[in-house]
Amino acid sequence: MEAMNFTREQLAQYILNNAKDSVIDKIKALLEKEDETVAYTIKGQPLNKKEYISHVETISKKIDDGAKTYTSNEVKDYVLNRKARLG
């Protein structure tokens, strides 16, 4: 079978003119999965896969640029001793 090379518009037109309902249902499921929430920011904002990857890349860049990082033990100590600091 020869590979089909479509532009975005040609693919859309091809789907409109030729695709069976079962194929359209599969396309819809794929598109919905792309928007599925895979993680949340520290502020509780949902992120889909693409947004999550971008978020992690941004954090990595900040670390590469010298942003302060903390070990798990430092975070644990900070949380457990928060009341003592607020005194």
Side-chain angles (χ1 to χ4, degrees):
M1 179 180 213
E2 186 178 327
M4 295 183 201
N5 295 315
F6 291 112
T7 65
R8 174 180 253 165
E9 291 79 15
Q10 289 170 327
L11 178 60
Q13 193 61 48
Y14 181 84
I15 291 168
L16 286 171
N17 293 333
N18 301 295
K20 297 177 184 176
D21 287 342
S22 62
V23 173
I24 292 173
D25 290 342
K26 289 176 185 176
I27 293 169
K28 182 180 175 188
L30 281 171
L31 293 173
E32 288 171 351
K33 188 166 179 73
E34 282 293 312
D35 267 349
E36 189 175 282
T37 298
V38 296
Y40 292 89
T41 66
I42 197 164
K43 294 180 181 177
Q45 297 170 318
L47 300 174
N48 64 29
K49 184 177 178 179
K50 186 176 180 180
E51 293 167 331
Y52 177 68
I53 290 169
S54 175
H55 184 67
V56 170
E57 288 171 348
T58 299
I59 292 169
S60 293
K61 174 129 177 54
K62 287 179 182 180
I63 291 169
D64 289 345
D65 291 343
K68 174 91 171 104
T69 60
Y70 301 91
T71 66
S72 297
N73 284 335
E74 288 173 320
V75 172
K76 180 180 175 183
D77 183 58
Y78 178 85
V79 170
L80 293 175
N81 295 305
R82 183 175 49 204
K83 287 183 182 177
R85 282 191 315 280
L86 296 175

